[in-house]
Amino acid sequence: MSSISNLSTSGLQLRRGSRAWRSLVELLSSMRFAISLLVIVAIASIIGTVLQQGEALSNYVDQFGPFWTAVFHRIDLFNVYSSWWFLLIMAFLVVSTTLCLTRNTPKIIVDLKSFKANIREQGLRSFHDKAEVEQLTSRETTVAHIVSELKGHGYAVKVQPVESDPQGATMVAAKTGGLNRIGYILAHSAFVLICVGGLLDGDMMIKLQMLLLGKHVLKTNMEISQVPKQNILSVRNPTYRGNLSIPEGGSSNMAILTIGDGSVLQPLPFSITLKKFVVDFYSTGMPRLFASNVEITDRKTGKTFPATIKVNEPLTYDGVTVFQSGFDDGGSHLQFKAWPMQGPGDKAFTLDGDVGSSRQLTNGQQALRLEITGFRLMNVENMSAAQQDGRTPPKTDLMQKFDQHLGAAVKRNQTTKLTNVGPAVIYKLRDAAGQAHEFFNYMLPVELDGMKMFLAGERSELGGAYHYLRMPADSKDSIDGWMRFRAALDNPAARQQAVDAYVKDSLPADASPTLVNQLKDTAGRTLDIFAGDIPRDPKSGAPLVKAPGGLPALAEFLERNVPKDQLAKASDVFIRVLNGTLWQLWQVSRVQAGLPAAVDSPANTRFFNAAVLALSDSTFYPAPLYLQPTDFKQVQASIFQVARAPGKTIVYLGAILLILGVFAMLYIRERRAWFVVRDSGASGSRTLMAMSTNRRTLDFEKEFETLRTATLGVGSQAPASASPGPDQT
């Protein structure tokens, strides 16, 4: 029985050439080599899918660290589909599949043309599906009837005498479903075409041009007008796919093509001017519609015409297709107040910059690089999630006791509350080692459970969740009051002043000096630990607690130094002392700012409780500065993808052939039938029938019964005179 599965998996055997050359050709054309390459391509595709491709190296440093970033970069895992080894594998796969076709196609074509009419009668008797019957009609009549029925059932028929039979016999060979074999050719040809089309539209053609024409990849950032000619491809480049970002009112005729860890510039045969970018949002803040109203100007003729480019509605001109890929900030101008988050200073300085720019910041000891990466005018957030996403570590029972006494400005809940919280700025602060923290700061205070808060998001892992520091707004809806409070906490003199005021208010005027000193010592130590001024071991000099400050440090200090049976009583004392000293510290900060002392009122109590929790969380804030957005001038930008893809037609043709080939292999069954008719008796005949298929199914069994009945005139019972075959014993 013949089938595609019988095709050889070995390679093409050459009769000439050196032994090494013949072995190489045999390996490249073997099916096992092609399958091995497919496995490698599949693994590489998984890596390219799981690992974000084409990001800036600094993002990978944040995610994997410097060492693994260098390793992955060396083997091009950040640009898998344009890496030299992936393109080489694809090229080998094309060669291997082409050689497989070259080897097997002639065999398939020969097999399609052949009726295999020379098969012996003994071989037919070994078939699983066979029948033998005596008929009253003559051999010629029987043959004519069989041929007629076979043609009526769609079979191609060949009739020839059985030369090896001295008594005289006629062989009727029939076949149908040969397109099943054509499916093999179509599917493998489709695979070759798709790979060739992909290689034509990929980076391989560009890399060949760079190799032959002396072009180089640009690995530094610079203005497009300053890019050297060796980093700019020809406008006649036959294939490319790149991106360009155009701000409103701007124009460009130069696309950026990312090649490995660098880029090259691709001139377009026309320029694009963005007249207006239109975007509409759902109530959830997701974009519902965005489109670009552009003007296209031909570089050769100067012809200009307007056009609108939308998602799924690209523009094609002069062989180049322009897609609406997305939108971004086009370099909005932002203004900040830079507040110190460490030390006793409470004075902010102004800072401005454009989205996409960077600058160096230093305080004389620490140098940071500020990278302004984004601006979002509209932010619809789940504020209940933001409330729960604090930076404070999980609370112990003692920490919960602190919360019960101090009160929480924001109650934690599991409800969903979508709110447009206004503009927000995204920026990074990168240290000298290249490690960066990303910050997401809202411009306006957000109302959370009746209390207005300034939300400052931070994350250290790319793609991770933001942790929010919640700083309460004062009576003027500004952050100044909390910032003064924070600065006073970091000022030892202000802390001492608050301790003195607390002791004076807590003890009677005639209190003994011993009691006064004890309370001063307890209050001072409590406030120092909360502020992050952790006492050290007299012998080793190591800090007595690991937490940097705030409530976690105070809880850890008590758990380490107070017996468990006295911990509850001691915590109550420390809570009252901390509450009192912090209240006095707040008064000190107000007096230093020329403000009257705060009275005990519900509004002041809410602000104070929220401020204390924010002070505790601020000890974990990973930056010496908090940048508060104060003003902006938004500039929208549209992101286009431009492509010249001559291989697209080849890929489409390959896709059509692949569909036809798979359909042919899966849904078309090749069937062959043989009838050996010989004379029997005076005027009768005896017919042996056998049938085979490349895929046995229930439908084939029914077809065999139908064809046997039609040609031989018998039902499903085996003829009594049939000679037993090998599988009939």
Side-chain angles (χ1 to χ4, degrees), residues 377-439:
L377 179 64
M378 180 179 178
N379 293 275
V380 177
E381 304 289 357
N382 181 4
M383 298 316 301
S384 61
Q387 295 170 21
Q388 299 173 40
D389 196 13
R391 186 68 174 173
T392 308
K395 290 178 168 45
T396 62
D397 292 339
L398 184 58
M399 285 293 299
Q400 294 172 0
K401 196 172 184 64
F402 275 122
D403 273 353
Q404 292 173 4
H405 283 270
L406 292 173
V410 180
K411 293 184 179 179
R412 284 142 169 75
N413 57 73
Q414 300 297 329
T415 60
T416 299
K417 183 180 179 182
L418 297 178
T419 307
N420 180 14
V421 295
V425 173
I426 307 170
Y427 63 89
K428 291 181 180 179
L429 289 177
R430 192 178 302 276
D431 60 22
Q435 297 290 339
H437 289 266
E438 186 176 71
F439 299 87

Side-chain angles (χ1 to χ4, degrees), residues 351-364:
L351 186 68
D352 60 4
D354 297 335
V355 173
S357 65
S358 63
R359 61 187 301 175
Q360 200 74 16
L361 301 177
T362 180
N363 58 3

